[in-house]
Amino acid sequence: MDQDTARLLFEQGACLVVLDAPTGIEFGVDLETWETGPLFSGLKMIPPGIHYIHYRAVDNKERGNGGNSNSGEGRMGMQCGFFHDFAQGEVVVRRWDPQTEQLVVVATPPAVSREEWLRSLDPRLGAYPVDGAVGSGGYERWKRLTSHVTPALLSRILPSPDGCFSSATGSAYEDEEMEAARKRLAKEYKKNNASGSGSGSEGMGGGPFMEHISTVDDNDRFGFTAIDVRHSFPRNAEPGVITRYGVDKTWLLRSLLHSLWNDDAGQLLGELQISFLVILVGQNFSGLEHWKRLMHVVLGSSSALEDPELVATVVAPALGILRRQLDECPAEFVALVLEQDSDGHDGFVATLLSAFVLNLYECPQKNARLEASVDGLRRFLRDRFSWLLPTGKELQEEADLEDGEYAPQIVDPSEIA
C-alpha cells in the first residue's frame, strides 16, 4: 500500500472491532483469510463500501496441551460470515460468543470516548489488506466482483435479522429438493402398498414418515427466488411456443427482469455476483444453484442477442462478470464445483458457453464488441484452464455434420430395385 492510500484509509477508513476473539480462529475479510493471534481485536483502515467478514472456529487438540498448533488435528467449525456496507469512519463492534462460535452484535461500545477506545485498541487492529496476498491487488479484485452489489440487494437476499449466514444456510432450492423427496417417497409408498410389501413401506416413505420432512428455517435462509429454467415459456402457450422457448430462454429472461427486478438489469447482475461469492468465499451451495440458473437464463437467451438493449444491459455485462469470476477460481474448483450440473454431470460452463458462441455466430444482428469479448474469453480460458472453446463456425460445422448423418435422404425412385 502506498503512503497516500494509507493516509487516506487512516483518515476515512472504517473499523471492525472483535471483542474476546480467541487465538487461532480462522478469520477473513473479502478474499483474504488468516489465523488470528493472541492480540487480535479486529481490522482498521477498511475502505468504505461493501465487504464480507467471515470466520470459523478451529478447535486444535494440540493447542491446549502445549503441542504444535500446526499439527492439523482437531475440529474445524462451520464457516459463518456477513456482508456489511461500511460507511466512512464507521466503527462496527462484534463480540465472540464461545457458545455459538459466532460474532454477535454489540449494541454499544465501552463507556469511554470513541477516540480513546480506538486509540487503546489500535496496536491490536490489523490493517485491511488493500494489496492482498503477495501483492495480488485484493481490494481491486473485490471491487470488480461486487460492482453491481448494493445494500438494498443484500438486505433482500441475506437472512434476517442481522444478515449473518453459514455454510448450512438454506434457500428456496432446498425446498425444491424437499418437494422432490416427498414425491419420490410418495411414489415408493404407493408402489410398496400396491405390491403388498407390508409394514416396511411405512418406514421407507409412508405418509406418516413424510410429514416429518420439514422445509428450511425461514430465519436462516437466503432470499433467492427459485428459478425454474425448464418452465421458460408462457402459461398455456401453444406447442410451437413451448418448443421455441424451451431452448431459447429469452421469454423467461424478460419475465424475470420485470417480475423480480422491476426491469432493473443491475439487480440481476448483482444477484449473479452475490450468489457466486456465497459459494466461493461463503462456501454455501445455495449460492451455486442460483448462480447456475441465472447464468443459464442469461447466456441461454438466443433471441436476446438480437435486442441491442438486452445485449448492452444484461448479456455483455454478464459475460464480463463470468470472466472475472472464473479468474478467481482454482482449476479444481471449476472442475469439481462449477462444471457440475444439477444431475451431477460434467461440463455445465463449457456446454453453456459453447451454446452461447453458436447462438452469437448464427445471430443475424452482429455485435462486434460482444464478439470481441468472446474472443478475449476464449484466450483467457485457454491460458487459464487449458480449455478450448470452439469458434461459432467450428460449432456450426460440427452441428451440420451431426444433422447430416440423420437427415432424410432423397432417393431417385429409378434407383430402387
Side-chain angles (χ1 to χ4, degrees):
M1 176 188 323
D2 61 68
Q3 291 185 352
D4 291 339
T5 300
R7 186 181 302 108
L8 182 65
L9 290 179
F10 181 79
E11 296 172 353
Q12 302 182 3
C15 289
L16 170 70
V17 176
V18 180
L19 303 175
D20 302 332
T23 300
I25 64 170
E26 187 179 281
F27 185 90
V29 57
D30 301 339
L31 301 174
E32 306 296 332
T33 305
W34 317 270
E35 181 179 301
T36 60
L39 299 180
F40 176 77
S41 294
L43 295 173
K44 60 184 176 181
M45 303 169 67
I46 302 173
I50 291 170
H51 297 279
Y52 174 57
I53 307 299
H54 45 101
Y55 52 91
R56 184 202 311 266
V58 180
D59 180 18
N60 194 299
K61 295 179 180 178
E62 297 291 331
R63 181 174 288 119
N65 298 321
N68 179 10
S69 64
N70 295 322
S71 63
E73 298 182 10
R75 175 185 63 87
M76 293 193 71
M78 185 177 297
Q79 177 163 309
C80 299
F82 60 93
F83 285 90
H84 185 81
D85 182 25
F86 286 88
Q88 180 176 316
E90 181 181 11
V91 178
V92 176
V93 185
R94 296 289 189 270
R95 184 183 299 277
W96 179 264
D97 184 336
Q99 300 301 316
T100 63
E101 297 183 337
Q102 293 192 17
L103 295 180
V104 296
V105 176
V106 176
T108 55
V112 295
S113 72
R114 175 180 178 274
E115 291 76 12
E116 181 182 349
W117 185 52
L118 289 178
R119 192 179 303 115
S120 67
L121 288 174
D122 187 77
R124 293 178 284 167
L125 299 178
Y128 178 89
V130 172
D131 296 327
V134 295
S136 60
Y139 179 49
E140 291 302 318
R141 288 159 51 212
W142 178 255
K143 287 197 297 183
R144 290 193 291 268
L145 290 171
T146 56
S147 57
H148 295 278
V149 178
T150 64
L153 197 56
L154 289 173
S155 178
R156 179 171 67 80
I157 290 176
L158 297 181
S160 61
D162 59 1
C164 185
F165 65 93
S166 72
S167 301
T169 298
S171 72
Y173 294 110
E174 279 71 25
D175 294 346
E176 277 190 4
E177 294 178 5
M178 290 293 186
E179 183 60 27
R182 291 178 194 274
K183 291 180 179 179
R184 288 194 300 270
L185 291 172
K187 183 177 180 180
E188 187 67 22
Y189 179 61
K190 292 178 182 179
K191 177 182 176 182
N192 290 337
N193 278 351
S195 63
S197 58
S199 59
S201 61
E202 292 257 340
M204 287 186 62
F209 175 76
M210 290 174 62
E211 291 176 0
H212 296 288
I213 301 180
S214 61
T215 55
V216 178
D217 179 6
D218 286 343
N219 293 323
D220 186 27
R221 61 187 289 139
F222 295 104
F224 297 133
T225 299
I227 297 173
D228 186 356
V229 294
R230 294 167 298 183
H231 194 88
S232 54
F233 41 81
R235 188 183 300 274
N236 302 320
E238 296 292 329
V241 174
I242 293 175
T243 300
R244 175 186 176 184
Y245 288 121
V247 178
D248 176 5
K249 304 301 178 183
T250 304
W251 179 87
L252 180 58
L253 173 60
R254 295 182 186 278
S255 176
L256 292 174
L257 271 172
H258 181 70
S259 62
L260 292 186
W261 301 299
N262 299 314
D263 298 313
D264 180 2
Q267 293 190 51
L268 185 162
L269 300 174
E271 286 203 27
L272 266 177
Q273 293 182 324
I274 293 173
S275 56
F276 177 78
L277 292 172
V278 163
I279 175 61
L280 180 70
V281 291
Q283 300 181 13
N284 183 295
F285 279 82
S286 293
L288 175 65
E289 188 60 31
H290 195 60
W291 178 84
K292 286 183 175 180
R293 296 197 190 189
L294 287 175
M295 278 296 177
H296 190 171
V297 172
V298 173
L299 298 185
S301 296
S302 55
S303 297
L305 298 175
E306 301 178 38
D307 185 329
E309 182 178 357
L310 277 179
V311 169
T313 60
V314 179
V315 180
L319 200 64
I321 286 172
L322 175 61
R323 174 171 175 171
R324 287 189 290 274
Q325 290 174 341
L326 290 176
D327 198 25
E328 294 295 332
C329 298
E332 295 81 2
F333 181 85
V334 174
L336 299 178
V337 178
L338 300 187
E339 275 287 78
Q340 302 294 315
D341 65 16
S342 57
D343 297 320
H345 301 137
D346 291 338
F348 173 80
V349 176
T351 301
L352 193 62
L353 285 175
S354 293
F356 175 79
V357 169
L358 180 58
N359 289 333
L360 182 62
Y361 180 76
E362 295 179 340
C363 180
Q365 188 164 335
K366 301 303 180 182
N367 187 308
R369 177 174 294 183
L370 194 57
E371 290 173 352
S373 295
V374 169
D375 289 339
L377 179 61
R378 181 179 294 109
R379 291 190 296 270
F380 162 76
L381 293 173
R382 179 198 62 203
D383 297 340
R384 183 77 164 76
F385 301 108
S386 298
W387 282 9
L388 297 179
L389 179 62
T391 64
K393 182 178 180 180
E394 291 169 341
L395 288 166
Q396 187 181 64
E397 290 173 350
E398 180 181 342
D400 290 343
L401 286 174
E402 292 177 357
D403 291 343
E405 183 178 353
Y406 300 102
Q409 299 295 314
I410 301 176
V411 180
D412 187 340
S414 63
E415 296 179 358
I416 302 177

